[in-house]
Structures are given as C-alpha cells and as structure tokens.
Amino acid sequence: ANGTMVSDSASVGNAAPAIFSDEFTNLSNWTVTRLTLDQGTGSPGAPSARAQVTAQSAFATRSLGQTVPQVCMSMSVNVTTQGGTAIDLLRLRTAANGPVAKVYLNASGILLVRSDVSGTQQSSSTAIGTGWHEIELCGTVGAAGTWDLYRDGTKIVNAFAANTGTTPVGLIQIGDNAARTMTVNFDHVRVDQSPGEGSPP
C-alpha cells in the first residue's frame, strides 16, 4: 500500500519537465539582438525582455540543446506598439537555424500560425489584445504535422495541418529578425511537450 501511495503522490501535480524555461531575471540564456531587460514590467513579475526598436530587428534565439519533433512553446507577451506592420512573436527553428514554424501578428494585431517551410498559414481570427497575454504553440514537425495555438489557455487555432519539413525543432526565437517598428515585452518562456503547462500557477 505504501508503494502505491508513493507512486501516486509522485505522479500527481508534477508537470512534464520543461526542456527550457526562462523568467528573464537576465538575458544570459539567449543570443540577443537589440532586446533589453525591462525592470518595470513582467508576467507573472518583472523583469521581462523588451523589444523597442524603430525600423530595426529585435529578437533573441536559444538553442534547446536537443531536438524534438513534438513541441510546445509558450510565453507571455505584451504588445504596446506595432507600427502598422506584421511582427513575429515566436519562431521554432531547426538546430541549424532552419525554418519550421512561427506565430506572428498581422498588421491588424490578429494572431496567425505559419509554416516557415511551406509558407501556408492559418489565421486565428483573434486579436492578441492589449496588456499581457499568454500564447502557446503546440505541434509536431512533419510533412503532415498539425499545430494548435492557444491564447490565455483557450485554443484559437485547432489542428492546422501544414508541411513543416522533416527536421525537428532545436532552436527557438522570440521577437522579429526583420526590421520592424515595435515595442513588445516577452516573459515566462517555456518549451515542453504538452500543452497548458506554461501557465503560471
């Protein structure tokens, strides 16, 4: 009986281990281009990473140290200004920095998922909105993989089928590596293999 109790307690309430997570107490876990540490705001708490640029790229990348064909990436995002153009929020890439998939905002602030391999995309028809929001992209890399997008825990893109190539995810990106005019904060980045566990408790 004791053995059963021990195994039950070990499996209750234990989230799947994160492949990578960061709360941005500093930027040392990332290769950074024009992101700064914002001590004034964050989600669930300050600090956070801030992209505040005019007609420049602002992004950061992180190698996962392993490759995963099935992946969930979640983060908190606060879009203050967008500059009238589309902006990338997160990208999943291969270990060699090749294309897989991304989540971006169109010029109207609507969240979309795009395969960076095939170029196909799916609109969520949902605006990210003002203030802090959590977005999460979950899916499986492959010629016929499917991808789900969540906003604040609600699924807004369901099983978007897209060819995302055959190379698994090995690197993540936050922000946009193209020239943009934007002010965006990022916090509470988490990469794991099951949806819903990136949310702060």
Side-chain angles (χ1 to χ4, degrees):
N2 284 346
T4 305
M5 288 172 66
V6 169
S7 63
D8 282 353
S9 64
S11 62
V12 171
N14 281 3
I19 296 167
F20 170 74
S21 65
D22 193 11
E23 298 282 358
F24 295 104
T25 53
N26 55 57
L27 297 172
S28 63
N29 288 324
W30 301 82
T31 301
V32 174
T33 302
R34 282 182 287 275
L35 288 188
T36 58
L37 208 59
D38 185 339
Q39 300 289 351
T41 184
S43 177
S48 57
R50 184 176 183 89
Q52 187 169 22
V53 288
T54 301
Q56 288 184 301
S57 62
F59 66 102
T61 57
R62 164 75 188 195
S63 170
L64 297 178
Q66 65 186 91
T67 57
V68 282
Q70 177 188 338
V71 66
C72 290
M73 179 175 171
S74 63
M75 65 180 183
S76 298
V77 185
N78 183 355
V79 180
T80 309
T81 59
Q82 199 181 332
T85 63
I87 53 172
D88 293 346
L89 297 178
L90 69 84
R91 292 183 101 140
L92 301 173
R93 295 182 175 275
T94 69
N97 204 28
V100 178
K102 74 176 179 182
V103 176
Y104 76 100
L105 298 177
N106 69 10
S108 303
I110 302 295
L111 287 156
L112 291 93
V113 181
R114 174 184 165 92
S115 164
D116 281 338
V117 175
S118 67
T120 58
Q121 62 187 34
Q122 176 68 51
S123 173
S124 70
S125 302
T126 302
I128 190 164
T130 57
W132 284 99
H133 294 282
E134 188 191 6
I135 59 171
E136 181 170 24
L137 178 65
C138 288
T140 304
V141 176
T146 60
W147 297 86
D148 296 329
L149 180 64
Y150 302 81
R151 175 187 174 275
D152 295 336
T154 299
K155 189 182 290 187
I156 57 174
V157 170
N158 183 29
F160 164 52
N163 175 8
T164 46
T166 55
T167 308
V169 173
L171 185 138
I172 58 172
Q173 174 186 313
I174 59 173
D176 201 319
N177 55 299
R180 303 293 185 205
T181 296
M182 61 181 175
T183 303
V184 184
N185 283 62
F186 306 92
D187 204 357
H188 198 69
V189 172
R190 181 181 169 99
V191 179
D192 57 30
Q193 293 187 292
S194 52
E197 286 168 357
S199 305

